[in-house]
Amino acid sequence: YIARNVTDNVRDLEGVIVSLMVRSSVLKKEISIDMADQVLAASVKMTQKQITIDSIKEAVCGYYGLETSRLLERTRKREVVVARQMSMYLAKKYTTLSLAGIGDVLGKKDHATVLHACKTISEQVGVDKKLRSDLEESRLTEAHSRAAMRHLWQVMQATSQEYDPAQRSRSGLSGGDAAKVEQAWQQGRLLGDDYLAAVTAEALKTAECNACMKRIVAAPTAGSCGVLPAVLLPLARAGQADEDAVCDALYVAAGFGQVIAARATLAGAEGGCQAEVGAASAMAAAALVDNRGGTAEQCAEAFAMALTNLEGLVCDPVAGLVEIPCIKRNVIGAMNAVSAADMALAGVVGHIPADEVIDAMAEVGNAMSQDLRETGIGGLAGTPTGRTICEIVTMNGREEEA
């Protein structure tokens, strides 16, 4: 603290420290920030370099390798636009200039342009914070991290493209349902619009591919793999989200997922299906809000409402397979994500903060019977039909082994 305020020379710094030690000894009090302030006020003139619009322009242009005069150009070249937006953002944050004043100095722009620039940079700062967290944990470079995220997105797309409606899972319980939804959609027999129909079909496709032992992205788990791609693939295909926008949304989803993993669990065996499909749904809701230009607060609200809606969902796979009811729950998770995102974007709030919702989910999971946590004993797995299916699957497995 003292070093930050005494920057002229070492002798001044040494004098302040000695004075502080003397004052502490005389007054018989421990050294504190308040005491340091008193000594500093008496010993050193504390000054802070004033930040001006000119110093901001110089710093920003120095960082981007541009001449300051280029900020005044009437151009849409990315390097100039980004530098100008950054200058506007910093000027609003660190100077007393009005929005109109900032715009006037930076290319004769109006206040609406300045507001848009500030919003754009603020959102990018939020994404970069999540990216930096990812880089610190994985020890990857930014280029490597983004390449890995693009790869995951490409796998999600490939899973959908390679879906085969004729293929069935080894148990014979899964396969072909996504094609039924697409056919009904084409025939105009469904209730929702094109986006909702596509979300339903995509959730089924990925979850069915998982049951058929094909390649999927566990997002965050194999049992909930259909939720995130279901809400993002239709947007990408409609031209409403390019690869960069999708990857940014996936970073947002991953950030929220990491919080669930840290505060609770992502495993159905520990927390029930609320920890798998519930978590995936909440992550997808936050990703959707980010993709639609929502604020960080709205992302958190969407996340909290989506997770709240699926709190208490048990994990009761029939015959212990990730098929019944898991595949259809991916659809519910995706639809829940869309509704939670819509509410958050409209300004609706869930009132319980995201971290408290996660903690509540953890408590519910701990209180849940072991029979309802991926054991294949309770819930649907324990119904007469569920037990019959289990017996048939077990018998067929023994015959194949023989």
Side-chain angles (χ1 to χ4, degrees), residues 118-137:
C118 293
K119 182 176 185 291
T120 299
I121 297 299
S122 179
E123 290 174 350
Q124 189 58 48
V125 168
V127 171
D128 285 346
K129 284 180 179 177
K130 291 182 281 291
L131 178 57
R132 285 197 297 273
S133 175
D134 176 72
L135 297 179
E136 290 170 2
E137 183 170 314

Side-chain angles (χ1 to χ4, degrees), residues 31 44 85 107 115-116 121 157 176 192 244 265 268 277 295 320 329 370 386:
I31 294 174
V44 181
Q85 288 180 336
L115 274 177
H116 174 72
I121 297 299
Q157 295 176 86
D244 287 339
T265 180
V277 169
T295 64
R329 282 186 182 163
Q370 189 66 36

Side-chain angles (χ1 to χ4, degrees), residues 348-360:
V348 177
V349 298
H351 299 292
I352 307 299
D355 55 351
E356 293 183 27
V357 174
I358 295 172
D359 293 343

